Amino acid sequence: MLVLFATASLIDPSRAQLGPPPDFEHDVKASFVYTVAKFVEWPDRAFERPGAPLVFEVLGEDPLEEALQRAARGKTVNGHPVEILKAGDARDLTPCHVLYIGRSEAGRLRGVLDRVRDATVLTVGELESFAEDGGVMGLRLEQNMIRFEVNVDAAARAHLSISSKILKLGTVIRERKRARGAP
Amino acid sequence: MRFRDLSIRQKLMALMMLTSSAALLLACVAFMTYESVNMRQEMARELSALAGIIGDNSTAALSFKDRKAAEETLATLAAKDQIVAAALYGADGALFARYLRAGARPETVPAAPEDEGYRFVSGGLELFSPVLMDRDRIGTVYVRSDLSLMVARLKRYIAIVIVVMGASTILALLLASRLQEVISGPIQELVETTRVVATGRNYAVRAVRRSRDEMGLLIDGFNDMLSQIQERDRALESAREALELRVLERTRELQQQVAFIQLLRTVAALANETSTIEEPLQACLDAVCALTRWPVGHVYALSSETPHVLAPLPIWHLDDPGRFTDLRRVTEATPLKRGAGLPGRVMQTGGPIWIRDIREEPDSPRARTGVDIGVRAAFAFPVVVGGEVAVVLEFFTTEVIEPDERLLQVMTQVGTQLGPVIQRRRAEESLRRSEEKYRSLVANIPDVTWTSDSTGRTVFISPNVETLCGFTPGVIYGDPDLWLSRVHPGDVEKVREAYRGLFAGNRKFEVEYRLRRRDGEWIWLYDRTLGAYEKNGVACADGIFSDITERKQAELELQKAKEAAEHASRAKSEFLANMSHEIRTPMNGIIGMTELVLDTRLTSEQRNYLDMVKSSADSLTTLINDILDFSKIEAGRLDLEPIDFGLRDCLDDTMRILAVRAHAKGLELACHILPEVPDALIGDPGRLRQVLINLVGNAIKFTDRGEVVVRVEADAAPPHVAQLRFGVSDTGIGIARDKHAAIFEAFAQADGSTTRKYGGTGLGLTISSQLVEMMGGRIWVESEVGRGSTFYFTARLGLQDKLASAAAAPPPEELKGLRILVVDDNATNRMILEEMFSGWRMRPTSVDGGDTALAALRAAARRGNPFRLVVLDANMPGMDGFSVAESIQADASLTGQDLIMLTSGGQRGEAARCRQVGISAYLTKPTRRSELLDVVMTVLHPATGAGRRGGLITRHSLREERRRLRVLLVEDNPVNRAVAARLLERRGQIVTIARNGREAVDLIKARPFDVALMDLQMPEMDGLEATAAIRASEEGTGRRLPIVAMTAHAMKGDRERCLRAGMDAYVSKPIQAGDLFEAIDAATGATSGGAGEPDAPGPATSRGKGVVDRAALLSRLEGDASLLTEIVGLFLQTAPRLMRDLKQALTSKDAGKLERAAHTLKGAVANFGARPAFEAAFKMEQHGQRGDLAAARKAWASVEKEMARLKKELERLAEEHAA
């Protein structure tokens, strides 16, 4: 149901004709991440001051970090300049506003999510049942289109207000009992 | 019906309705407009809001390119019916999603977003609005709505407006129809009142006022106006009535005045029309009585017998004669003295008098009678003539009437008018009486007097004309053409002319003419008048004619007798003329034969007898000639034949004829023509000569000693006419004063005895006087016995046009100032000669004898100013001319003078004596002026004239001279010169040589020539220059010397050049005798005399190849061998010099000089027909002309060769001819 087109503004039209290039997938994902940020409201305390940078941190998936650089460098989101960082290690995370967690962190997902559990961080990942597992927004690439799920509980936990406008576009899920039951 | 013609009521209603409807309509329109604008704005706002919602709802769809989500958002618009279409465009402007209402066409949606904002398009409103997210524009939303909502609302509004308007109109109509009454009511009432006033002319009606507003004021004003009109009408009515009264009054006055004027006019008219005194007076009485309606009017007039007494005239106006019989009787018996009675008092005062009642004046002479028959009022007024009361008019009536001053004034005027009338009538009366006297006088004289006006109409003719011609004056007055129609046709023009002259030029006339009486008999009338005068602006003339028939008959008879006598006389003269002619023929035979016999050998006795026969025959011939002339004159058959002639020549010839007789008697005969006397005249010189011969002949005849002098003077005369006075004076016996008239009558001489002593027919003077008369002059004599006579006559002669002046050709320049001594014992001769010489601008001195002459000559020589010429009279008392000449010759101190002898004699041997004593010229007296000039010129220039041959100059030699032409030959080449001179001299011409142009010009200045032959190429001054100089000197003198050019130039155009330079003819060299003479003849316009025709030039073919063309040469020289020898000699002499010149030119390389030298050589050889030499020289000349000296040097050899050959040939030729 959720379909995102790879638009001409994000990809090279000549390459588009030749089929998806190696980076196409990342570009689409980077654009999505950047756009989603626009529909998300962080609490004021998430920023040191008004106009402080909105920091994107990419964990585990280097090409995405590069694609993000391409898509969003120099741009602003709701008055905040965009800053893109590359996380070195799950244990060594820099405070950020959007944290993309790559496929490579499948084993360490739990720990990573726990580490940012109470932080005002919009976690985005592509792992299977990312949202169900406690991530705020899980992505899935289907036939060159991005579909997403939003874990509104996780969002509430992170004090993020996600615009209903995008909630209409994705799937809203709630945490399982287990999760509910967990501290 | 137009609006302005509607009633006030209708207008008011219409105005109200219109106002309310307009206000309502305006309100509705404003409301509708406001609503519509409002609705549109509302609609736009609504659509913007809608678009904002759509845009906001679509941000996510747009951000994530979720078309489906977008379309769903758009689809929510289906709830809004009016939305036709909607669309979303991406940030790149591409259509992203759209919505279309069912039935809407897809193309409703634009393919790309347009400018933001809303706009109304056809049938709808569309709007583009940006979709923003995070202040970034991520797309555009488009919404289009139709206007269905708005239209529906508007429709509703309109329906409401219509309903409201309808309702309000009805309400307004109801209100208006009630309210207009307030204004239109009073107006209607006013209109009604006006109508009543207008139709009924009833100004008493008043309109009712109901209110105090403007309407009320209007009604008040209207009522006021009506009152004023009413008032004015009343005033007008009364004014009109007063005016009528005054008009009536004035009319009456006017009528009276008109009556007075009428009276005056009547009196005046009558006075002028009538011819007696009584008539105007009677008319005046009648008129005054008619005017005043008084019954009695009468006239008193100043008595012609008793002074200062008025006598009653029998002139009355009586309306009722019966009643006033007594008054009339008494009045006519009562003359009144000045101051007595009414007329007497009028006479005394000179003015009119009015008596209102005669009973108040009982002292009046006629008072009692008047009172008795009931006369009461009276007035009288005077007629003044010449300041004196002449007539008094009196009037009476039977009522008492107060004086009417105006009437009296008029009467005074009547009197004033009558005054002149009466005066005139009196004058006419006396005129008539005098005229009657005149008429009876006219009727009683035998001549007929007449008066005619300028139209020829007879105004008056005395009655006795009837006894003269049978017509009464009445008939003559009635028919203006009658008189002239009775005049004899032969006299009509004369009569007409006389009358025309009378009236056109106011000339008096006396004319005799024939008139046919009524009974057909012709009578002669002698009609005369003293001229015209003007009468009443018409020209008139008075005249008298008498019957002169008897006198005329006598005259006619006399005339017939005279004509018969004259005819007889003429017949006699003719007979005489015929007889004289018949006698002359045998007389000629006698004289001729006698002369022949006298030439034969005769004894002295025979010769003596025959001389007497001849002299008798001569006398008889003279006598017969005189008789012939006389009878010709008598018979009227002598006519003058006027021709051009020279007076001086004519007189000189005449004098010469007479000189012989004068000299034979030892008389001096001189002719003195004053210089101002013109010479070129038109007249009959033969007859003039005849008169002179007669007069001079007589003078010689009646003079034994002394002189006879003819003197000619010119009197003042009109142009083109010469009035000459001739005087012939002698020192003869003279004529007694009482014979002066008789001598000019036929067959009369001063004294019967003279006829016997001197002979002659006595016809000479008669003939002369007749001839002089025919020449328009008269003849008379001044003489005393023993003291000589002078016969004078005048003659009127024509002047020739060309030389009307007295002066002939100007005298030669060289005579100017030349000293000349005149020696003559006769004073007249001295004077004549002196005058002649002075005329030539010489300086003459005259002396009366040989001794004084010698003294003068010596004195002059001593002073170093000697006389150049001496004119000697041969016959002088004491020392005669020859002795004087001898003495001069003998005196060594007297040299350089030439002597001219004038002699009366011409005796044999004189010429020889002249030569002996060194006299140059010898002339018999009287000498011609021209002859003397020729002699003087010839003496001064012996080279040119006969003197050249050393001979004595005589009249004969001069005459010879004159036939010859004086030719000036201008030529530098001696050969040519010799040829031309010889040819000319052989022709008898006098040739003078000039070597170049300058010499020629000088010679021409010094003396006259007849023609000049001019070479063109000459040193110093060439022919063309010389010609120009000559022509320039001739400028203004009228002279023109013919110039013939001679040229070796064979070039074309030479001729033109010569003629242009002023030359007259042209011959080319070498000179051909024929050509030369022809050219001279052409130039001088005469045949140049000479010894016959020259031989024809030799044939042209004779130009052989030989060195010399002998035939041609001889022909050119006319076979003159000696000339040939001469010119050959000359050529041989000059040829070396010519060759030398040529050679020199060659060596000095002077082309110009070479050309000239060759030209000269060419000319020289041409004379001999030396063709080869000529050609050689010609070539050389051409080389020189071109400046080709090299060629010239080459040509030199051939020239030298040819010249040598020519020389040899010519030498041989000369030898041959010399041999």
Side-chain angles (χ1 to χ4, degrees), chain B residues 232-246:
Chain B
R232 195 167 304 162
D233 273 4
R234 266 199 296 279
L236 266 175
E237 183 61 25
S238 62
R240 193 174 55 80
E241 278 164 14
L243 196 65
E244 268 172 14
L245 276 174
R246 269 171 62 193

Side-chain angles (χ1 to χ4, degrees), chain B residues 580-581 583-584 587-588 617-632 638 687 690 761 763 767:
Chain B
S580 309
H581 185 72
I583 293 166
R584 238 157 35 126
M587 279 310 296
N588 282 338
D618 283 343
S619 302
L620 197 52
T621 309
T622 313
L623 185 65
I624 286 163
N625 281 344
D626 281 356
I627 291 170
L628 185 62
D629 277 347
F630 180 71
S631 55
K632 265 188 186 167
L638 187 80
R687 293 301 174 185
Q690 191 178 349
T761 57
L763 281 176
I767 293 165

Side-chain angles (χ1 to χ4, degrees), chain B residues 123-425:
Chain B
L125 172 67
E126 61 180 19
L127 180 133
F128 286 94
S129 177
V131 179
L132 297 171
M133 195 181 76
D134 194 14
R135 277 176 295 181
D136 285 336
R137 179 173 189 154
I138 56 168
T140 306
V141 64
Y142 167 76
V143 186
R144 184 187 172 101
S145 163
D146 62 15
L147 301 176
S148 55
L149 260 178
M150 197 171 83
V151 169
R153 268 167 76 180
L154 278 175
K155 272 178 186 165
R156 259 198 321 279
Y157 284 137
I158 287 165
I160 290 164
V161 164
I162 287 165
V163 171
V164 169
M165 276 186 72
S168 62
T169 306
I170 289 161
L171 189 64
L173 200 62
L174 286 171
L175 283 171
S177 66
R178 296 297 298 174
L179 290 174
Q180 53 85 22
E181 291 280 334
V182 177
I183 292 165
S184 67
I187 292 175
Q188 282 292 335
E189 255 178 73
L190 193 60
V191 167
E192 189 55 31
T193 313
T194 314
R195 201 178 52 78
V196 170
V197 171
T199 51
R201 305 253 163 240
N202 183 358
Y203 297 103
V205 179
R206 294 289 179 272
V208 183
R209 194 190 67 182
R210 296 182 197 285
S211 59
R212 287 195 170 279
D213 59 2
E214 287 88 341
M215 213 55 224
L217 289 176
L218 184 63
I219 287 164
D220 282 350
F222 180 71
N223 286 341
D224 258 10
M225 196 174 72
L226 282 176
S227 311
Q228 276 174 25
I229 292 170
Q230 223 173 351
E231 193 60 36
R232 195 167 304 162
D233 273 4
R234 266 199 296 279
L236 266 175
E237 183 61 25
S238 62
R240 193 174 55 80
E241 278 164 14
L243 196 65
E244 268 172 14
L245 276 174
R246 269 171 62 193
V247 167
L248 273 176
E249 211 173 301
R250 282 286 162 84
T251 310
R252 269 196 297 279
E253 281 173 29
L254 213 60
Q255 275 167 349
Q256 198 184 4
Q257 276 187 3
V258 167
F260 288 162
I261 291 166
Q262 198 68 41
L263 171 69
L264 287 171
R265 281 179 59 189
T266 311
V267 170
L270 281 166
N272 282 326
E273 281 165 15
T274 56
S275 56
T276 63
I277 298 180
E278 289 77 13
E279 272 181 68
L281 290 172
Q282 180 69 60
C284 185
L285 288 183
D286 294 346
V288 172
C289 288
L291 175 69
T292 55
R293 296 179 208 289
W294 285 25
V296 182
H298 176 246
V299 180
Y300 266 95
L302 203 60
S303 168
S304 53
E305 287 122 32
T306 327
H308 306 302
V309 168
L310 288 168
L313 294 186
I315 303 172
W316 289 88
H317 175 90
L318 293 168
D319 276 356
D320 185 357
R323 185 176 174 182
F324 299 104
T325 315
D326 282 350
L327 181 64
R328 183 171 182 167
R329 189 173 41 78
V330 172
T331 302
E332 286 192 354
T334 315
L336 292 169
K337 277 188 205 154
R338 190 181 169 91
L342 180 61
R345 279 163 62 197
V346 167
M347 186 187 179
Q348 195 169 33
T349 59
I353 292 175
W354 185 291
I355 301 169
R356 56 180 290 273
D357 187 349
I358 57 167
R359 285 173 299 187
E360 290 170 6
E361 302 196 7
D363 299 340
S364 199
R366 291 174 292 164
R368 175 178 288 259
T369 319
V371 172
D372 286 353
I373 58 169
V375 170
R376 292 295 177 266
F379 77 85
F381 64 88
V383 175
V384 181
V385 175
E388 192 185 4
V389 174
V391 173
V392 176
L393 284 86
E394 55 178 1
F395 300 89
F396 302 99
T397 186
T398 51
E399 291 161 55
V400 174
I401 296 176
E402 292 301 317
D404 182 342
E405 280 305 320
R406 189 179 291 157
L407 182 65
L408 282 180
Q409 272 176 23
V410 173
M411 288 311 137
T412 311
Q413 282 177 33
V414 170
T416 312
Q417 274 205 350
L418 280 171
V421 175
I422 284 164
Q423 195 171 19
R424 194 165 69 238
R425 294 293 169 230

Side-chain angles (χ1 to χ4, degrees), chain B residues 912-934:
Chain B
R913 227 183 133 194
C914 282
R915 289 195 190 90
Q916 278 173 16
V917 296
I919 283 166
S920 308
Y922 167 79
L923 284 175
T924 42
K925 290 200 283 187
T927 50
R928 284 167 182 269
R929 190 186 160 85
S930 56
E931 212 171 60
L932 193 60
L933 179 61
D934 282 348

